[in-house]
Amino acid sequence: GEDVEQSLFLSVREGDSSVINCTYTDSSSTYLYWYKQEPGAGLQLLTYIFSNMDMKQDQRLTVLLNKKDKHLSLRIADTQTGDSAIYFCAELLMDSSYKLIFGSGTRLLVRP
Amino acid sequence: DVKVTQSSRYLVKRTGEKVFLECVQDMDHENMFWYRQDPGLGLRLIYFSYDVKMKEKGDIPEGYSVSREKKERFSLILESASTNQTSMYLCASSLRARTEAFFGQGTRLTVV
């Protein structure tokens, strides 16, 4: 079945790097996403990676994909207090459903 | 800018009421989705629609129905609201062949 798992909470100091991890189970996934949700807001797409890639970098964000282990990570360099939010990992199923399956979300707290 | 607009940010309804949650997108997207978000459970798909008048059940459709009479509008209906439907409801839309889903700001529904 489809399942996406994340740890629920991460706390880092301002200026440090944050690494948020995610595992998924469905081998038919092709796109994997990271969304950010700030308090009281909807979800905002941060970045995504196609399953034939193993790394994608976008300014302070680095996404690593280990397809063999079905493991995805999001690294935020020089984490700022404005990065405090919930981060959701999601996979797009490329079977007939085209469903997005979300993880439970990781709450990132950035301490001054 | 893609815009997905949900009609209400906050709603309070009584048990047994029929509740309509409305979502409108302005980018001519084929796919529209309704999720509910609960602490520790992430986003769970209720229903989605890939075309006008077409709908597919998601993972938790019980107690809900949907309507897509026009391409830009996707309505979620709670036939007889119950307290366990108290949640944050998120609407999203995406192009058929594209991957990015755009989210509305969410509707926090409380059923008393």
Side-chain angles (χ1 to χ4, degrees):
Chain A
E2 314 125 3
D3 199 14
V4 177
E5 293 190 357
Q6 303 176 238
S7 55
L8 289 180
F9 183 74
L10 175 66
S11 176
V12 299
R13 285 193 188 279
E14 191 173 16
D16 287 351
S17 292
S18 309
V19 179
I20 302 171
N21 293 303
C22 169
T23 57
Y24 61 98
T25 56
D26 202 285
S27 57
S28 69
S29 302
T30 55
Y31 284 90
L32 295 133
Y33 303 85
W34 286 103
Y35 281 85
K36 177 183 181 182
Q37 185 182 34
E38 295 181 356
L43 273 68
Q44 173 196 359
L45 180 68
L46 277 181
T47 187
Y48 65 91
I49 189 167
F50 190 54
S51 58
N52 67 354
M53 299 167 65
D54 50 21
M55 188 183 98
K56 182 177 179 182
Q57 187 148 4
D58 184 2
Q59 298 181 338
R60 291 191 297 124
L61 305 178
T62 304
V63 179
L64 295 177
L65 175 62
N66 180 330
K67 197 173 178 186
K68 175 173 163 291
D69 294 338
K70 297 193 176 74
H71 182 266
L72 183 74
S73 68
L74 173 70
R75 180 176 180 269
I76 307 172
D78 187 24
T79 314
Q80 303 297 306
T81 53
D83 295 323
S84 292
I86 302 175
Y87 291 81
F88 289 92
C89 167
E91 59 172 343
L92 176 68
L93 301 185
M94 292 301 278
D95 57 13
S96 57
S97 70
Y98 284 81
K99 287 197 305 187
L100 262 180
I101 308 296
F102 284 84
S104 56
T106 299
R107 185 178 293 276
L108 174 65
L109 176 65
V110 182
R111 308 186 306 275
Chain B
D1 261 3
V2 174
K3 198 161 186 187
V4 180
T5 304
Q6 294 180 230
S7 53
S8 305
R9 289 296 302 272
Y10 301 95
L11 273 181
V12 180
K13 296 290 181 182
R14 293 193 183 279
T15 301
E17 275 193 78
K18 190 169 186 175
V19 182
F20 292 85
L21 301 184
E22 305 286 351
C23 176
V24 176
Q25 50 93 6
D26 65 359
M27 281 301 289
D28 205 33
H29 284 174
E30 285 89 354
N31 299 332
M32 295 189 76
F33 308 83
W34 275 107
Y35 292 87
R36 66 176 279 178
Q37 181 182 12
D38 299 288
L41 296 177
L43 275 72
R44 292 180 291 166
L45 182 64
I46 305 170
Y47 266 97
F48 68 101
S49 168
Y50 52 89
D51 207 343
V52 176
K53 296 192 188 296
M54 306 304 288
K55 61 185 179 186
E56 291 286 337
K57 291 180 181 178
D59 299 315
I60 49 164
E62 296 79 18
Y64 303 95
S65 62
V66 289
S67 172
R68 186 124 181 244
E69 295 297 317
K70 293 185 178 181
K71 193 174 187 180
E72 66 270 19
R73 186 180 295 271
F74 192 36
S75 304
L76 179 70
I77 304 154
L78 286 67
E79 297 290 343
S80 176
S82 63
T83 54
N84 63 12
Q85 292 178 309
T86 291
S87 187
M88 169 73 91
Y89 289 87
L90 289 163
C91 174
S93 73
S94 68
L95 281 176
R96 190 188 303 280
R98 281 288 303 278
T99 59
E100 182 177 354
F102 295 86
F103 282 82
Q105 78 279 25
T107 297
R108 185 168 292 282
L109 172 67
T110 302
V111 182
V112 297

